[in-house]
Amino acid sequence: MSEYRTALIVGAGSGLSASLARLFSKNAMQVALAARTTDKLASLAAETGAKVFACDATQRAEVEKLFAQMDGSLGAPDVVVYNASFRTRGPLADLEPADVEKAMAVSAFGGFLVAREAARRMLPQGRGAILFTGASASVKGYAQSAPFAMGKFALRGLAQSIARELGPRGIHIAHFVIDGGIRSARRLVSPDKPDALLDPDAIAQSYLHVLQQPRSAWTFELELRPWVESF
Amino acid sequence: MSEYRTALIVGAGSGLSASLARLFSKNAMQVALAARTTDKLASLAAETGAKVFACDATQRAEVEKLFAQMDGSLGAPDVVVYNASFRTRGPLADLEPADVEKAMAVSAFGGFLVAREAARRMLPQGRGAILFTGASASVKGYAQSAPFAMGKFALRGLAQSIARELGPRGIHIAHFVIDGGIRSARRLVSPDKPDALLDPDAIAQSYLHVLQQPRSAWTFELELRPWVESF
Amino acid sequence: MSEYRTALIVGAGSGLSASLARLFSKNAMQVALAARTTDKLASLAAETGAKVFACDATQRAEVEKLFAQMDGSLGAPDVVVYNASFRTRGPLADLEPADVEKAMAVSAFGGFLVAREAARRMLPQGRGAILFTGASASVKGYAQSAPFAMGKFALRGLAQSIARELGPRGIHIAHFVIDGGIRSARRLVSPDKPDALLDPDAIAQSYLHVLQQPRSAWTFELELRPWVESF
Amino acid sequence: MSEYRTALIVGAGSGLSASLARLFSKNAMQVALAARTTDKLASLAAETGAKVFACDATQRAEVEKLFAQMDGSLGAPDVVVYNASFRTRGPLADLEPADVEKAMAVSAFGGFLVAREAARRMLPQGRGAILFTGASASVKGYAQSAPFAMGKFALRGLAQSIARELGPRGIHIAHFVIDGGIRSARRLVSPDKPDALLDPDAIAQSYLHVLQQPRSAWTFELELRPWVESF
């Protein structure tokens, strides 16, 4: 059980976000889900009792509105998880600049906007947690994947910087390096390679564990990968 | 609750080892404690039901004997924690070579000997976990602390190497970067800096969490530091 | 002496860029200088025989025009150095989103645009070099400096990604971690701390060395810091 | 041209050491070669005017004698390069403990002994350089290569630690990550993969460059790899 009460998950359309919503809800947290498009979140919201907000996290005004709506309904979140990301691949020479801008905006700039609003509310309380979902690309720039590397490296730079600023003010910042593919309805594990994709419920357990850490022994960065993943 | 049943803690004289023994015991694991000198382990053994073994982990014959004794009593451990370390400080020009050898032997070579015996028993089962306790010095060589850096860097190299070998064989290898001082009877937190030292019970909770991870989402490396620690 | 002939320096207004222009020119390279505002580049251009181009590196059309102008005058560069960066500081809660966007655009997105145009011209030749100027903030996110960390981390992600793609195609990508302050007219070394700021001419020598490396022994990343800098 | 005058190369039997000896000699440095067995060093000594010393770098008394002999002949070296290493491979369960001890002794402990004697002589002068040769295994522990990882990680920990101690006293410490195979008479580049092995002469040029850096812009760590090497 965590001492936190209200969790906002941004980028709520992913399978990991669904696992987090369920686990947080089971652990007595009130959950809020934010996503650019919310039409697919109805059943998850029903299942978890979550409140749903439409928000394009790359737009300052929308992020400010999201937090204002939280203030006026569930109250400011004491846990925020930033899961949004956008990736595109290809040889450098063929990449579309607009896609690169979008990758940086969704994967990193939105994380900044969300963390800023969260920090403004957590700082006066001297407590709270902001969790960022990274990837293999957070620590290694793969060939033909520059946009994702740029976004995820930037997000990690943000997380490190604000961990150093906000940690001593009581706000727990953590960055998860998800080093492998995540299992989903579209991406099934092959029977001859059991557990070769990360189970999103298992990832969620590690997020919850980090939320439960007392402040004398906080984790900033934690890698998660399948047993058979090369690294 | 972890699926593991028998945990061997090497370097059992430390406060972290005591916290681990208590927590593992509470989670239904049979605990074995190994240390070079065992006279101070009696009360912990009584409290946790642990079996105690004398073992200088830097000596091949003693490590082999330790595991043979385990084989003949509790059975081979499915969890091994390597906590032993030795440090000495000083300007490079003044360091005693014998101290440097000892730092490398206790902090790293002993870890190899213990992991080797553990792996020999875990590999046929296709399961098990070997956890290594690192320090700030595992990832940063501090001035006037070359011996500790040499030992802890080497231990991390060992852990990475065997994680890549043994992970895909079902054995979970994890390395913990304990980045701060650990609270103890001799090292108390000052009242004006609450929680500025790592609570060994809190560290132990993160070790247990790693043991509970399903193999689709294993952590290899995890940092733990007090909220106010600079990094 | 390098085998390269034509060097384009983007972000040409800095002291490091001036040192590079002088050194490249002395080493028989034709130099081109690109900067958003070019009015202060006249004397450097006169001294080094450099051609000067106005270019806002964050604007796709301007970067494409810059390279088209190069094509039509000096020819496509076989060396490109990306030096542009923008930073702003402050507590997370007080940062202006527009400043963060600018930091990411100037420090990283512009690097992508420039590298893309450069690669398009270097790939058919199977040779060339693209050098990126990083900072302490490329590898460590400092408190109250999130925007710079976001930009510089992203630039490093870009550099790593394209090093893996373009290296095996004959294009040398290198990333320099400038870990300290650079001496300038505005930032003088204090007499009691000699050489405590990086001499831009000394940095430039390391850039030239990297350009001179044969392809069997290329450096991707290299740190440069003053002897007294803590790290 | 470097300002240094006398270079001691320990582990002088390798191809890289030979390239260093030739390059240093051409750059007006007096060279000393130390190796456990010296019988194969005669022609290199003749070619470079180097003085040859027999020394097992893992033995304290022999290292002290080596430096005493230098004191009494060429004078204390102002450059020391530590090139010695020993590796053995294999599954963890099959590794011989004696081989692991040797890997740590040759690759790391010897580096400590040599650096200690070097520092004792350089500190009173407030100048000098100690260069360490690392490998891919310095920063990544590969499967089935634990002993080499342990030795090379430890050497890097030593180098970092003493860089932080000795840099501000005027002694330049540098660590080279040689990330690939080195070309040699026994290890030839295949014609269809040109320059796929590091040319030791090219590596030596980067060592010399680091020696030539003024103290305002020192490199601590530098990677070198062939253009086609994956990383």
Side-chain angles (χ1 to χ4, degrees):
Chain A
M1 175 98 57
S2 140
E3 65 174 292
Y4 298 114
R5 287 291 160 257
T6 308
L8 168 64
I9 301 170
V10 180
S14 72
L16 172 57
S17 292
S19 292
L20 289 166
R22 288 188 197 103
L23 186 63
F24 289 172
S25 173
K26 265 180 218 155
N27 277 267
M29 279 186 261
Q30 168 66 50
V31 175
L33 303 171
R36 205 159 53 85
T37 54
T38 58
D39 37 314
K40 289 177 186 158
L41 295 176
S43 73
L44 179 65
E47 180 187 347
T48 60
K51 209 164 160 53
V52 173
F53 299 93
C55 175
D56 178 343
T58 67
Q59 300 303 312
R60 172 191 186 152
E62 296 200 25
V63 173
E64 289 175 348
K65 184 179 160 203
L66 165 66
F67 277 83
Q69 288 174 316
M70 291 279 302
D71 292 342
S73 54
L74 304 176
D78 47 15
V79 173
V80 172
V81 182
Y82 192 76
N83 271 347
S85 73
F86 172 77
R87 78 172 86 185
T88 182
R89 290 181 49 81
L92 172 63
D94 299 342
L95 289 170
E96 270 306 311
D99 287 341
V100 174
E101 281 186 302
K102 185 175 173 186
M104 293 176 72
V106 177
S107 301
F109 181 64
F112 155 74
L113 290 174
V114 167
R116 190 176 75 131
E117 292 306 315
R120 287 174 166 182
R121 286 151 179 87
M122 293 174 182
L123 278 167
Q125 312 297 326
R127 60 188 290 282
I130 307 175
L131 311 185
F132 296 97
T133 299
S136 317
S138 302
V139 290
K140 183 172 174 180
Y142 291 87
Q144 306 218 354
S145 191
F148 198 47
M150 294 173 78
K152 285 297 190 185
F153 268 63
L155 183 71
R156 188 170 180 248
L158 169 71
Q160 275 194 12
S161 172
I162 68 175
R164 291 186 167 97
E165 176 190 344
L166 302 179
R169 314 265 314 255
I171 302 170
H172 188 174
I173 310 295
H175 180 254
F176 295 79
V177 178
I178 309 298
D179 188 20
I182 299 180
R183 208 180 63 195
S184 69
R186 289 175 326 224
R187 191 172 187 181
L188 298 168
V189 176
S190 72
D192 57 324
K193 291 186 69 181
D195 300 324
L197 294 177
L198 291 128
D199 178 347
D201 289 340
I203 301 174
Q205 290 285 355
S206 284
Y207 280 57
L208 180 63
H209 171 69
V210 166
L211 292 179
Q212 292 169 334
Q213 292 177 324
R215 66 183 179 179
S216 90
W218 276 353
T219 291
F220 166 66
E221 191 159 78
L222 177 154
E223 325 164 62
L224 291 166
R225 70 172 61 84
W227 63 310
V228 292
E229 187 78 22
S230 65
F231 71 101
Chain B
M1 176 95 58
S2 140
E3 64 174 292
Y4 298 113
R5 286 291 160 258
T6 309
L8 169 64
I9 301 170
V10 180
S14 71
L16 172 56
S17 292
S19 292
L20 289 167
R22 287 188 197 104
L23 185 64
F24 290 172
S25 173
K26 264 180 220 155
N27 277 267
M29 280 186 259
Q30 169 66 50
V31 175
L33 303 171
R36 205 160 52 84
T37 55
T38 59
D39 37 312
K40 289 179 186 157
L41 296 175
S43 73
L44 179 64
E47 179 186 348
T48 60
K51 210 164 160 52
V52 173
F53 299 94
C55 174
D56 179 343
T58 67
Q59 301 302 314
R60 172 192 186 152
E62 295 200 27
V63 173
E64 290 174 349
K65 185 178 158 202
L66 166 66
F67 277 83
Q69 288 174 316
M70 293 276 302
D71 292 341
S73 54
L74 305 176
D78 48 14
V79 172
V80 172
V81 182
Y82 192 75
N83 271 348
S85 72
F86 172 76
R87 78 171 85 185
T88 182
R89 290 181 49 83
L92 173 63
D94 299 343
L95 289 170
E96 270 306 310
D99 287 341
V100 175
E101 280 186 303
K102 185 175 173 186
M104 293 176 73
V106 177
S107 301
F109 182 64
F112 155 73
L113 290 174
V114 167
R116 190 176 75 131
E117 293 306 315
R120 287 175 166 182
R121 285 151 179 87
M122 293 174 181
L123 278 167
Q125 312 298 326
R127 59 187 290 284
I130 308 175
L131 311 186
F132 296 97
T133 299
S136 318
S138 302
V139 291
K140 184 172 175 181
Y142 291 86
Q144 306 218 356
S145 191
F148 198 46
M150 294 172 78
K152 286 296 190 187
F153 268 63
L155 184 71
R156 187 170 180 248
L158 169 70
Q160 275 194 12
S161 171
I162 69 176
R164 291 187 168 96
E165 177 190 344
L166 302 179
R169 313 266 314 256
I171 302 170
H172 189 175
I173 309 295
H175 180 255
F176 296 79
V177 178
I178 310 298
D179 189 20
I182 299 179
R183 207 181 64 194
S184 70
R186 290 175 324 223
R187 192 172 187 180
L188 298 169
V189 176
S190 71
D192 56 324
K193 290 186 68 180
D195 300 322
L197 295 177
L198 290 128
D199 178 345
D201 289 340
I203 301 175
Q205 290 285 357
S206 284
Y207 280 58
L208 180 64
H209 171 68
V210 167
L211 292 179
Q212 292 169 334
Q213 292 176 324
R215 66 183 179 179
S216 90
W218 276 353
T219 291
F220 167 65
E221 192 159 78
L222 178 155
E223 325 165 61
L224 292 166
R225 70 172 61 84
W227 64 310
V228 291
E229 186 79 22
S230 66
F231 70 102
Chain C
M1 176 96 60
S2 141
E3 64 174 294
Y4 298 113
R5 286 292 158 259
T6 309
L8 167 64
I9 301 170
V10 180
S14 71
L16 173 56
S17 292
S19 292
L20 288 167
R22 288 188 196 102
L23 185 64
F24 288 172
S25 173
K26 266 181 216 153
N27 278 266
M29 278 186 262
Q30 168 65 49
V31 175
L33 302 171
R36 204 160 55 83
T37 54
T38 58
D39 37 312
K40 289 178 185 157
L41 294 176
S43 72
L44 179 64
E47 179 187 347
T48 60
K51 208 163 161 54
V52 173
F53 299 94
C55 175
D56 179 343
T58 68
Q59 300 304 311
R60 173 191 185 152
E62 295 199 26
V63 173
E64 288 175 349
K65 183 178 160 202
L66 165 67
F67 277 83
Q69 288 174 317
M70 291 279 301
D71 293 341
S73 54
L74 305 176
D78 48 14
V79 172
V80 171
V81 182
Y82 191 76
N83 272 347
S85 73
F86 172 77
R87 80 171 84 184
T88 180
R89 289 181 51 80
L92 173 63
D94 299 343
L95 289 171
E96 270 306 310
D99 287 341
V100 174
E101 281 187 301
K102 185 174 174 187
M104 293 177 72
V106 177
S107 301
F109 181 64
F112 156 73
L113 289 174
V114 166
R116 190 176 76 131
E117 293 306 314
R120 287 175 166 181
R121 286 152 179 86
M122 293 174 181
L123 278 167
Q125 312 297 326
R127 60 188 289 285
I130 307 174
L131 311 185
F132 296 97
T133 299
S136 317
S138 303
V139 291
K140 184 173 175 181
Y142 290 86
Q144 307 217 354
S145 190
F148 198 46
M150 293 173 78
K152 286 297 190 185
F153 269 62
L155 184 72
R156 187 171 180 247
L158 168 70
Q160 275 194 12
S161 172
I162 68 175
R164 290 187 168 96
E165 176 190 344
L166 302 178
R169 313 268 311 257
I171 302 170
H172 189 174
I173 310 295
H175 179 254
F176 295 78
V177 178
I178 310 298
D179 189 19
I182 300 180
R183 206 180 65 195
S184 69
R186 291 176 323 226
R187 193 173 185 178
L188 297 168
V189 176
S190 72
D192 58 325
K193 289 187 69 179
D195 300 324
L197 295 177
L198 290 128
D199 178 346
D201 290 340
I203 301 175
Q205 290 286 354
S206 285
Y207 280 58
L208 181 64
H209 172 68
V210 167
L211 292 179
Q212 292 169 333
Q213 292 177 323
R215 67 184 178 176
S216 91
W218 276 353
T219 291
F220 167 65
E221 191 158 79
L222 177 154
E223 323 164 62
L224 292 165
R225 71 173 59 84
W227 65 309
V228 292
E229 187 78 21
S230 67
F231 71 102
Chain D
M1 175 95 59
S2 141
E3 65 175 290
Y4 297 114
R5 287 291 160 258
T6 308
L8 168 63
I9 301 170
V10 180
S14 71
L16 172 56
S17 293
S19 292
L20 288 167
R22 288 188 195 103
L23 185 64
F24 289 172
S25 173
K26 264 181 219 155
N27 277 267
M29 279 185 260
Q30 169 65 50
V31 175
L33 303 171
R36 204 160 53 84
T37 55
T38 58
D39 36 312
K40 289 178 184 155
L41 295 176
S43 73
L44 179 63
E47 180 186 348
T48 60
K51 208 163 162 52
V52 173
F53 298 93
C55 175
D56 179 343
T58 67
Q59 300 302 313
R60 173 191 185 152
E62 296 200 27
V63 172
E64 290 175 347
K65 185 179 158 200
L66 166 66
F67 277 83
Q69 287 174 318
M70 292 277 303
D71 292 341
S73 54
L74 304 176
D78 48 14
V79 172
V80 172
V81 181
Y82 192 76
N83 272 347
S85 73
F86 172 77
R87 81 171 83 184
T88 181
R89 291 181 49 81
L92 172 63
D94 299 343
L95 289 170
E96 271 305 311
D99 287 341
V100 175
E101 282 186 302
K102 186 175 172 186
M104 292 176 74
V106 177
S107 301
F109 182 64
F112 156 73
L113 290 174
V114 166
R116 191 177 74 131
E117 292 306 316
R120 287 174 166 183
R121 286 152 178 87
M122 293 174 181
L123 278 167
Q125 312 298 326
R127 59 188 290 284
I130 308 176
L131 311 186
F132 296 97
T133 299
S136 317
S138 302
V139 290
K140 183 172 174 181
Y142 290 87
Q144 306 218 354
S145 192
F148 198 46
M150 294 172 77
K152 286 297 189 185
F153 268 64
L155 184 71
R156 187 169 180 249
L158 169 71
Q160 275 194 12
S161 172
I162 68 176
R164 291 189 168 96
E165 177 191 344
L166 301 179
R169 313 269 310 258
I171 302 172
H172 188 175
I173 309 295
H175 180 255
F176 296 78
V177 178
I178 310 297
D179 189 19
I182 300 180
R183 207 179 64 195
S184 70
R186 290 176 323 223
R187 192 172 187 181
L188 297 168
V189 176
S190 72
D192 57 324
K193 290 186 68 179
D195 300 323
L197 294 177
L198 291 128
D199 178 346
D201 290 340
I203 301 174
Q205 290 285 355
S206 284
Y207 280 57
L208 181 63
H209 172 68
V210 167
L211 292 179
Q212 292 169 334
Q213 292 175 325
R215 65 183 179 178
S216 91
W218 275 353
T219 291
F220 168 66
E221 191 158 78
L222 176 155
E223 326 164 59
L224 291 166
R225 71 172 60 83
W227 64 311
V228 291
E229 187 78 21
S230 66
F231 71 103

